[in-house]
Amino acid sequence: MPTKSPLEDEVADAVARLMRRGLPVTLAAVDPVLLELRGVLARAADPGDEASRIAALDGTLRGLLARFPDARYAAAARALFGLPPAVPGMNLTVRRELAAEQAGHEVHHFRKRVEPKLVTTLAAELLADADRFTRSPLIAPRLAPVTARQPVLADPFAWEVAEQEEQLSLLWSAIYAARAELLTVERLISLHSERTDVIRAAVTAAWRWAAARAEAISYTTAFAPDLAVHELVALAGWTPALSAGQTSRLTEAAAGGASREAFVAHLHGETGLGNTWTEGFLAALPSPEQARTVPSTPVPPDPDQNG
């Protein structure tokens, strides 16, 4: 485990060296400072294994490049590191030419003025990712293959431990399910999908998010009163801002393992709440072009209810 946080310049230099060979990350190209980032250690199947951390770093970088914060230079940044529009086997010179073309700059100007800024931005994203893991209140349990039955002894202590493991598994399954649906919404918006498809996915995301919040309340009440419910649910991903009353109504509708249909039926007539949730996604479009494709106007709570 790292004993101190790496400096921004150290990470930027390491990212610049990694760029020379591009992705995938290899042992020959990686700087140890990148393998010690908390976001990488947390994602590694075995934090003590270098190959596992390299795989985790590779996946982390691909995710950050897919969500590069500057849309104008996102394709250029990906090309620099060997991701599409680049293809495997391109050397840095070819990748740089492609990146400059994607960014609309002359190659010399791109290399001198733009490329360092892209490297600095990616390094800052890596550090921000590490910082989020530093402040994470709970880490998902790492699972290992089980080849033999593991009976629970007829003992109060064993029952309590098993129950906590059950609740923890339910909590994380709910958080990851919510994360999957929230990602689906953002992907559909990015794909300029039909408005009804986006809204349907947003309703499903609301159901999963509310179910995760219900599980978080159940777990913290029984086993971890020092953990904040909102911090646990925030691990699933970004959601539109809701009032305390709206949050409670969503949670009540999803509690007890309610199906999506039961969740929607419970909230029948909650047009204001439905609009707040769906409009939050539609209004958060990252570009004016996408905003024109999916206009922000009042929406029904769930298109499935309209046939």
Side-chain angles (χ1 to χ4, degrees), residues 221-243:
T221 300
F223 300 105
D226 55 323
L227 293 178
V229 170
H230 71 277
E231 290 183 358
L232 285 173
V233 182
L235 296 173
W238 180 88
T239 59
L242 301 175
S243 68

Side-chain angles (χ1 to χ4, degrees), residues 252-263:
E252 291 167 5
S259 66
R260 184 184 187 282
E261 291 72 20
F263 173 77

Side-chain angles (χ1 to χ4, degrees), residues 20-46:
R20 294 170 189 165
R21 292 203 179 190
L23 300 181
V25 179
T26 63
L27 179 60
V30 70
D31 190 306
V33 71
L34 298 180
L35 300 182
E36 294 177 357
L37 293 169
R38 289 186 183 276
V40 173
L41 290 168
R43 293 184 179 93
D46 181 358

Side-chain angles (χ1 to χ4, degrees), residues 135-152:
R135 293 182 282 105
S136 178
L138 192 63
I139 301 297
R142 183 170 289 112
L143 303 180
V146 178
T147 57
R149 185 173 178 179
Q150 295 179 308
V152 176

Side-chain angles (χ1 to χ4, degrees), residues 242-257:
L242 301 175
S243 68
Q246 290 172 327
T247 300
S248 294
R249 288 199 291 279
L250 279 183
T251 308
E252 291 167 5

Side-chain angles (χ1 to χ4, degrees), residues 157-245:
F157 175 77
W159 293 333
E160 183 176 346
V161 170
E163 184 181 7
Q164 182 168 0
E165 290 183 2
E166 291 171 23
Q167 293 297 315
L168 194 60
S169 297
L170 289 171
L171 170 65
W172 281 105
S173 66
I175 288 176
Y176 276 104
R179 176 173 176 75
E181 298 303 338
L182 291 170
L183 286 171
T184 297
V185 176
E186 299 292 3
R187 179 173 56 80
L188 291 177
I189 291 174
S190 179
L191 286 168
H192 300 184
S193 297
E194 293 292 331
R195 179 183 179 81
T196 53
D197 292 337
V198 175
I199 295 172
R200 185 177 292 104
V203 172
T204 303
W207 166 54
R208 290 296 193 186
W209 179 84
R213 188 170 185 277
E215 288 295 345
I217 292 172
S218 176
Y219 179 77
T220 56
T221 300
F223 300 105
D226 55 323
L227 293 178
V229 170
H230 71 277
E231 290 183 358
L232 285 173
V233 182
L235 296 173
W238 180 88
T239 59
L242 301 175
S243 68

